[in-house]
Amino acid sequence: MAALVIDGKAAAQKSGEEVRERVRFLREKGTIPCLGVILVGEDPASLSYVTAKEKALAETGMASRDLRLAADTDEATLLSHIAALNEDPAVHGILVQLPLPAHIREDRVISAIDPRKDVDGFHPVSVGNLVLGKRGFVPCTPQGVVTLLREMNIPLAGAHAVVVGRSNIVGKPLVNLLSRREINATVTLCHTGTRDLARYTLDADILIAAAGKAGLITADMIREGAAVIDVGVNRVPDPSAKKGYRLRGDVDFEGAAERASVITPVPGGVGPMTIAMLLRNVVQAAEDSE
Ligand code: GUN
């Protein structure tokens, strides 16, 4: 069986149209939703993510306040920029691109963002709200995964979802989201300490790979007919590619596509949805500020 390949770009475009409508409504009332975007240093992958986010904001009629800081910027300076964005009523959301240089404490920086502007959903207040099932910002990638699964009409209630990877950005929030009563999946969280990973993945109706390891999930680890969502974005050297590398997911795509019923590609799967969910969170922040 060959799997149906999920088009994340198309789903993101659909979500973008809804966002554009909400933005139009806000603009008519004189509010232009605006995201403060802070990038520290010049990591090429981070730079390309930030550029893509700003382009998507502009395409949906939103603004961004761009702060590019040198790699040796000290923590106090970064915190003062965040304080200024917190105070600015024209800025509705704040995004600090991660990872930060090693001399800056990530948790201090994230905690300094006003939770009302925490469109990444990384602030401890947002994390707490998600765990408690209360309203608040949900991190974009997990929200994108769930939105894609819904778009594809994959049954979630009662299904066994296996998440591989326990990051704060993807794995942990995804587990909390999928086990919410309104989604009602049964969730298993696997990580680098899991003994015999395949034992768990082979039982998954929905397998979500978010470990950041190219090709970790091979065809023999996938149950026939499972839905496979690949969150991994790994740069692997490829001398034949123009940039000298190509992007690979955590899943061995060709093999997995033979066993799965649906599968997301890398690139063009979850990635576009992450940005689409960020746009949603920014417009939400602007609406809530009214
Ligand atoms: N680095 C990798 N993913 C993300 C994300 O979703 N938000 C931010 N701020 N940094 C990231």
Side-chain angles (χ1 to χ4, degrees), residues 92-272:
H92 305 98
I94 300 171
L95 181 146
V96 180
Q97 186 64 29
L98 304 178
L100 288 165
H103 66 279
I104 297 177
R105 289 167 292 186
E106 208 163 273
D107 59 335
R108 294 284 174 110
V109 171
I110 291 170
S111 297
I113 296 170
D114 183 334
R116 289 170 299 186
K117 299 191 178 188
D118 176 36
V119 290
D120 257 331
F122 296 164
H123 190 286
V125 166
S126 303
V127 177
N129 283 331
L130 174 59
V131 174
L132 294 169
K134 289 168 70 174
R135 195 173 180 276
F137 288 114
V138 175
C140 305
T141 302
Q143 210 185 322
V145 168
V146 169
T147 306
L148 260 189
L149 288 167
R150 286 234 158 104
E151 266 308 296
M152 298 303 299
N153 295 314
I154 309 287
L156 298 172
H160 184 201
V162 175
V163 178
V164 183
R166 60 179 146 190
S167 69
N168 290 338
I169 295 184
V170 186
K172 279 192 239 172
L174 199 45
V175 164
N176 284 289
L177 201 54
L178 288 168
S179 53
R180 273 185 168 179
R181 202 171 283 275
E182 65 265 28
I183 294 179
N184 237 9
T186 299
V187 189
T188 299
L189 176 61
C190 298
H191 46 72
T192 44
T194 300
R195 203 185 311 135
D196 192 5
L197 180 60
R199 177 180 150 208
Y200 301 94
T201 59
L202 277 169
D203 192 55
D205 300 309
I206 301 161
L207 177 58
I208 302 163
K213 244 183 162 175
L216 173 70
I217 306 294
T218 47
D220 57 321
M221 298 166 78
I222 296 168
R223 175 164 157 176
E224 189 80 43
V228 176
I229 307 291
D230 193 350
V231 183
V233 183
N234 308 291
R235 290 184 172 201
V236 297
D238 181 355
S240 72
K242 215 182 345 170
K243 293 180 175 164
Y245 68 86
R246 67 193 169 87
L247 294 181
R248 261 195 83 193
D250 287 359
V251 177
D252 166 31
F253 184 84
E254 278 73 27
E258 293 296 314
R259 296 198 28 121
S261 58
V262 296
I263 187 166
T264 63
V266 177
V270 173

